[in-house]
Amino acid sequence: MQMGGGQAGGDPTAQRPFQLVKHFSVTSLVIILLFTLAISSVVSVRASDLVLHKREQYALLLAENLNHQVMVQFVMPALRDYGGINVGQPAQFSLLDLVVRNTIQSFQVSQVNILDLDGNIIYSTQPDYIGRLGHYEGPFQVAAAGGHASTLDPPWDPFELGAGLPRVFKTFIPLRDQRRLTAELGPPRAVFEISLDVSDDFKEIWLNQKIIMGTLLIMMALLFMILRSIVMRGQRIEARRAAQEAALEEQLHQSERLASLGRMIAGVAHEIRNPLGIVRSTAELLGSKVEPRQKALAEVIVEESTRLNRVVTEFLDFARPQKAELKPLKVEEVLERNLAALAAETERAGVEVVRRFPAKPALAMGDADLLYRAFLNVFNNALQAMSGGQGGKLTITTSRAQQDGQVWIVVTVEDEGPGFEPQSSGQLFDPFFTTKEQGTGLGLSIVRSIIDTHQGKVELGNAPGGGARVEIRLRAAQA
Ligand code: ADP
């Protein structure tokens, strides 16, 4: 029969807690990262939209102003003075350049181009751009058709790694005729291309995005660590509980096994005791009727059956459930009953009994029959220890003591035998542990289990003189 518990390595429940923590850690880390990226990119896209909207408003305001100034201060005087518009003429160019520069001087503009409706740059604040074809598809077309449109170059990428990309925001607005008196606008004549340098704005957005991302990451990492430690703690508690449950289950199985073993022993012992009594009394009868030589044989039968009867009784005592009915009693009275029953044996062994009882014995809580059985085993051991023919003293002391906030009645039994062997000290209470040739090893386990049911204590040791010393503590009755 296998007595051990299950194997930890093959138990799937032993693996589960770790896997759960691992799974939880990896998933939550990935979720946290994605969440952080999503939040920070949403925030930065919103910030970029806001900046671009403001910049476009700014460019439109400027374009309106430019349109008015160019019409009033350049187109009209040029038509009047030169009879037509030709920006290629140095005089006309200088006039236009002056008008444009005066208008934009208080605005933060990096470049202004004027394109004809075919997309050729006819004027620029950067002279080397003049004459080039502006390759502007969508935004230019929108402006040429009378609307306005903007573009960011290069476009903003919320996941951009580098912080310092130079960025230009270009707005395309039509240049229209303007009636001097009504300020009414005519159809588009050309297109303004206003470039604003937005590198600093986007540097700031980039920086803010990184700050938001960093803060979120730190906060989420903290949250993650807190969650993780809660999960780990929960799993440790769960594992401990599972281990406790397994230990309890094992204990239950063990006591079930012991109980069925006890029932079996009790059954067998009972079956042996009855015929044994008949054998003994028959042998006694036979001994009284036969001649002396055969009488000796009959005596052997009586002696052995008496010994066997004692062994069987010990087995029965061990197997019988010990249920104590505690009542206030004088332990000295129980001890006297034991000594009376053992008087003949004590005398035969040449043992002197010394009683050290107080004049006024205190009451202990106990079950007289169970205590009788317990003391009997202690006395039997003491007598056996002094049975070498040399005799000795059996000293029995009772006293009252206070310990752990409890009043105890202490019974001490000392003999003058060889004492307990030091190497057996850990096993003395184990059932079936014996150093005697004909012992059962059940005496001290019976003593222990009886005293346990009294919620008392048993301590084994050797007296200073060398003999064994057994100390039994019972709870005192409430005075
Ligand atoms: P058993 O008497 O059948 O051996 P016990 O459980 O009563 O079983 O005792 C177990 C062992 O404890 C004994 O075999 C013996 O070695 C030791 N022992 C018990 N009482 C004494 C004693 N008074 N003196 C010396 N050894 C003792």
Side-chain angles (χ1 to χ4, degrees):
M1 183 171 53
Q2 195 190 325
M3 302 279 282
Q7 289 164 321
D11 181 0
T13 52
Q15 308 248 321
R16 206 182 45 201
F18 176 67
Q19 272 177 357
L20 196 64
V21 172
K22 213 170 99 180
H23 183 72
F24 172 81
S25 313
V26 173
T27 331
S28 48
L29 256 183
V30 170
I31 289 173
I32 283 172
L33 269 177
L34 290 178
F35 199 63
T36 309
L37 283 178
I39 287 187
S40 65
S41 63
V42 165
V43 168
S44 76
V45 165
R46 291 265 310 146
S48 137
D49 286 351
L50 210 68
V51 163
L52 295 182
H53 178 71
K54 282 205 159 164
R55 290 292 172 167
E56 194 169 49
Q57 296 299 314
Y58 187 81
L60 288 176
L61 196 73
L62 174 64
E64 199 181 321
N65 203 8
L66 261 177
N67 199 81
H68 178 73
Q69 298 302 337
V70 167
M71 277 298 161
V72 174
Q73 293 189 39
F74 170 68
V75 176
M76 289 174 190
L79 286 174
R80 187 187 61 219
D81 299 343
Y82 304 108
I85 305 292
N86 184 359
V87 188
Q89 274 182 16
Q92 285 198 25
F93 180 83
S94 303
L95 181 62
L96 178 60
D97 197 38
L98 188 74
V99 171
V100 171
R101 284 185 194 280
N102 280 345
T103 311
I104 67 171
Q105 72 179 346
S106 55
F107 287 82
Q108 296 159 344
V109 177
S110 54
Q111 190 175 342
V112 172
N113 296 338
I114 300 175
L115 295 89
D116 65 16
L117 294 177
D118 295 329
N120 299 307
I121 298 176
I122 52 172
Y123 167 80
S124 174
T125 48
Q126 307 280 325
D128 31 321
Y129 277 74
I130 296 168
R132 287 194 205 172
L133 182 68
H135 293 284
Y136 308 117
E137 296 298 314
F140 169 77
Q141 298 300 343
V142 173
H148 66 81
S150 302
T151 171
L152 182 67
D153 185 26
W156 167 241
D157 173 8
F159 300 108
E160 198 166 283
L161 290 177
L165 272 189
R167 271 211 163 73
V168 180
F169 181 60
K170 295 179 175 173
T171 305
F172 294 86
I173 313 129
L175 169 75
R176 300 161 184 268
D177 282 339
Q178 197 173 28
R179 314 277 180 267
R180 185 190 282 270
L181 291 175
T182 56
E184 197 184 298
L185 295 171
R189 293 257 169 225
V191 171
F192 284 121
E193 178 191 348
I194 299 173
S195 300
L196 304 175
D197 184 357
V198 287
S199 309
D200 286 348
D201 291 329
F202 278 86
K203 237 179 247 174
E204 202 143 310
I205 291 174
W206 184 88
L207 193 70
N208 281 334
Q209 188 201 20
K210 296 297 166 272
I211 290 173
I212 291 170
M213 215 186 251
T215 319
L216 277 176
L217 266 180
I218 291 172
M219 272 168 50
M220 298 219 178
L222 278 176
L223 197 72
F224 166 74
M225 271 152 70
I226 292 168
L227 276 176
R228 196 183 140 97
S229 85
I230 290 172
V231 170
M232 299 261 286
R233 197 176 307 164
Q235 279 176 343
R236 271 202 299 274
I237 292 171
E238 193 194 327
R240 205 164 42 223
R241 210 170 287 164
Q244 277 168 356
E245 267 168 28
L248 274 178
E249 215 166 293
E250 179 56 33
Q251 242 173 35
L252 195 71
H253 285 158
Q254 181 77 5
S255 43
E256 273 170 6
R257 276 198 292 267
L258 281 179
S260 58
L261 187 71
R263 278 196 296 278
M264 197 184 77
I265 292 175
V268 174
H270 193 75
E271 288 305 311
I272 292 173
R273 213 149 68 144
N274 289 344
L276 201 63
I278 298 170
V279 169
R280 198 170 91 172
S281 50
T282 313
E284 275 171 348
L285 192 69
L286 210 66
S288 64
K289 292 196 173 160
V290 292
E291 51 190 77
R293 208 169 54 85
Q294 287 156 331
K295 191 177 173 180
L297 285 177
E299 273 169 6
V300 171
I301 297 176
V302 173
E303 210 172 285
E304 283 304 303
S305 55
T306 307
R307 195 183 66 78
L308 199 57
N309 187 52
R310 209 187 63 236
V311 171
V312 170
T313 308
E314 272 185 28
F315 267 101
L316 267 176
D317 278 350
F318 174 68
R320 200 177 297 155
Q322 318 282 5
K323 214 163 176 250
E325 278 181 32
L326 302 181
K327 287 185 193 133
L329 51 76
K330 287 184 181 148
V331 279
E332 289 79 1
E333 283 176 4
V334 182
L335 290 165
E336 286 300 353
R337 258 176 64 204
N338 283 117
L339 291 171
L342 291 170
E345 226 169 301
T346 325
E347 201 176 315
R348 209 177 316 133
V351 168
E352 181 197 344
V353 178
V354 179
R355 296 170 175 80
R356 289 190 185 147
F357 297 160
K360 271 194 175 172
L363 294 178
M365 289 305 291
D367 179 316
D369 287 343
L370 287 181
L371 286 181
Y372 177 86
R373 268 156 59 193
F375 294 145
L376 191 66
N377 280 292
V378 176
F379 289 141
N380 270 335
N381 278 342
L383 292 180
Q384 281 164 14
M386 294 187 284
S387 63
Q390 81 284 12
K393 259 194 243 168
L394 175 66
T395 311
I396 308 151
T397 315
T398 60
S399 60
R400 215 165 156 271
Q402 207 151 0
Q403 199 192 16
D404 306 331
Q406 168 76 39
V407 183
W408 301 95
I409 303 298
V410 187
V411 180
T412 315
V413 178
E414 287 168 316
D415 63 50
E416 291 186 342
F420 292 103
E421 290 169 7
Q423 67 271 23
S424 331
S425 68
Q427 298 162 282
L428 294 169
F429 287 119
D430 290 350
F432 308 112
F433 172 79
T434 181
T435 57
K436 298 171 193 166
E437 221 169 89
Q438 293 189 333
T440 57
L442 291 174
L444 288 179
S445 6
I446 293 169
V447 173
R448 164 83 155 253
S449 98
I450 290 177
I451 301 304
D452 279 352
T453 59
H454 282 71
Q455 295 174 312
K457 294 177 186 173
V458 191
E459 266 174 37
L460 307 178
N462 285 337
R469 186 174 187 275
V470 179
E471 186 184 286
I472 293 174
R473 283 172 179 249
L474 298 167
R475 286 165 188 265
Q478 302 279 320

